Amino acid sequence: KELTVSAFCSIPLIASGRLLGLLNAFSFNLGHAFREGQRKMLSVICDRTAVSLENARLYEKVMNSNSELEALNLSLEENFRQTIVGFANALEESDHYTRGHSERVSIYARLIAEGMGLDRPLVERVVFSARIHDIGKIGIPTEKLNKVGKLTSEEMELLRSHPVKGKRILDPVPFLRDLVPGAYSHHERYDGKGYPLGLAGENIPLLGRIIAVADAYDAMTTDRAYRRALTQREAMRELLACAGSQFDENIVNIFVNELRQKRAQTEEEVHLFAI
């Protein structure tokens, strides 16, 4: 049977101002058009592929220089990290309810980590882990993530699989393994009733306990298909009510205190501006 192309997308691979090639994507499904999120993901793939090809070319030139090799390896690592972030962003771009979610979670996670007095490398690890904590949702249909009605047991199982999928994506890459605890354990509960392992208390990795609070706060304070957003005060009250059961109480208290300080500072700045 002859196939008919119903949609076509062509994206250039460009590095250092040079055209290295083209990625051509075709759809043979009648009436199908590439969605914005799909186009963005293809663009991310092309950008990172082009950089990787350029780095491979440079690698051949500097094989005999240890210092240049070390610099190139660092560049490759950063490129791969940004690729993962790009995938996470592209995933959210296809859904207006969660657009910017991971970026906001990383901001809240930084507030917590700095409020806890963690050292700078660990703060940055927390922040980057928060940026990609939902990477395992790649492949889960948007309509399942935003279903208005009650999820079936199969749909719930699919949704709850994303921490395991996130671990599976990150684990094979040596310099991303320190981020795995955040992606894998951010749905564990302090009382042991979470998933995927049912860990409790401080057996839950610190990254997971921090991201759990930041993630829940952003989910509560943004509109979703199935409910309206809570106010900041309402969300803080909800966090405090769940401290010690769903969340680490110390982390909740630190986060709420940081939010209150930020709000007080903002109100003071507005008052001074009005004067």
Side-chain angles (χ1 to χ4, degrees):
K1 182 181 178 179
E2 184 178 346
L3 295 175
T4 302
V5 175
S6 64
F8 169 70
C9 184
S10 183
I11 302 175
L13 282 70
I14 299 175
S16 302
R18 296 188 307 122
L19 177 65
L20 304 181
L22 293 170
L23 173 66
N24 295 324
F26 301 85
S27 173
F28 300 97
N29 295 325
L30 186 63
H32 176 272
F34 288 100
R35 299 190 301 273
E36 181 182 2
Q38 293 172 322
R39 295 196 300 272
K40 286 180 180 291
M41 185 170 290
L42 288 171
S43 180
V44 169
I45 292 172
C46 289
D47 286 345
R48 298 307 166 187
T49 300
V51 172
S52 296
L53 289 171
E54 180 68 7
N55 283 339
R57 184 184 69 81
L58 293 174
Y59 187 87
E60 293 180 359
K61 286 187 173 183
V62 299
M63 283 185 65
N64 297 321
S65 171
N66 288 334
S67 61
E68 290 180 331
L69 275 176
E70 183 178 352
L72 183 56
N73 284 334
L74 290 174
S75 174
L76 287 168
E77 288 186 13
E78 179 60 21
N79 175 46
F80 203 94
R81 283 175 176 261
Q82 292 307 314
T83 299
I84 293 295
V85 171
F87 277 131
N89 290 343
L91 173 69
E92 293 178 0
E93 280 296 324
S94 63
D95 174 17
H96 72 275
Y97 286 111
T98 59
R99 191 170 298 147
H101 167 69
S102 292
E103 174 64 25
R104 293 190 299 273
V105 171
S106 72
I107 293 171
Y108 300 141
R110 181 183 293 279
L111 269 181
I112 295 169
E114 291 179 347
M116 295 178 72
L118 303 181
D119 60 54
R120 180 55 52 188
L122 184 50
V123 169
E124 296 308 317
R125 182 179 158 204
V126 168
V127 170
F128 196 81
S129 187
R131 286 291 302 275
I132 51 86
H133 73 283
D134 275 342
I135 191 69
K137 286 183 177 178
I138 287 178
I140 299 178
T142 301
E143 60 269 19
K144 301 295 185 185
L145 298 174
N146 289 320
K147 185 176 177 181
V148 177
K150 184 178 180 181
L151 295 175
T152 66
S153 57
E154 292 80 10
E155 290 169 336
M156 181 63 74
E157 185 178 352
L158 177 64
L159 184 59
R160 289 190 169 194
S161 70
H162 78 271
V164 176
K165 290 179 179 178
K167 182 178 187 295
R168 197 178 301 145
I169 291 170
L170 300 173
D171 246 349
V173 187
F175 53 84
L176 295 180
R177 285 180 188 150
D178 62 346
L179 307 177
V180 169
Y184 193 43
S185 65
H186 69 280
H187 281 294
E188 299 288 357
R189 287 175 53 111
Y190 206 71
D191 58 11
K193 297 179 181 179
Y195 63 91
L197 297 178
L199 301 177
E202 295 193 4
N203 287 326
I204 304 170
L206 179 62
L207 267 67
R209 282 181 278 143
I210 291 174
I211 294 172
V213 174
D215 184 38
Y217 179 78
D218 185 67
M220 287 189 287
T221 54
T222 53
D223 288 333
R224 294 298 169 95
Y226 44 86
R227 57 143 180 83
R228 298 289 296 172
L230 301 182
T231 66
Q232 186 187 59
R233 290 179 185 274
E234 290 170 334
M236 287 193 294
R237 283 199 296 268
E238 189 65 24
L239 287 178
L240 290 169
C242 295
S245 55
Q246 184 174 350
F247 307 114
D248 183 322
E249 185 174 7
N250 181 52
I251 289 174
V252 169
N253 289 335
I254 288 172
F255 183 47
V256 169
N257 183 56
E258 291 293 321
L259 288 175
R260 284 171 174 165
Q261 288 185 31
K262 289 286 183 184
R263 188 175 63 196
Q265 181 181 355
T266 301
E267 289 174 353
E268 182 179 354
E269 289 173 351
V270 170
H271 176 69
L272 290 173
F273 182 78
I275 293 175

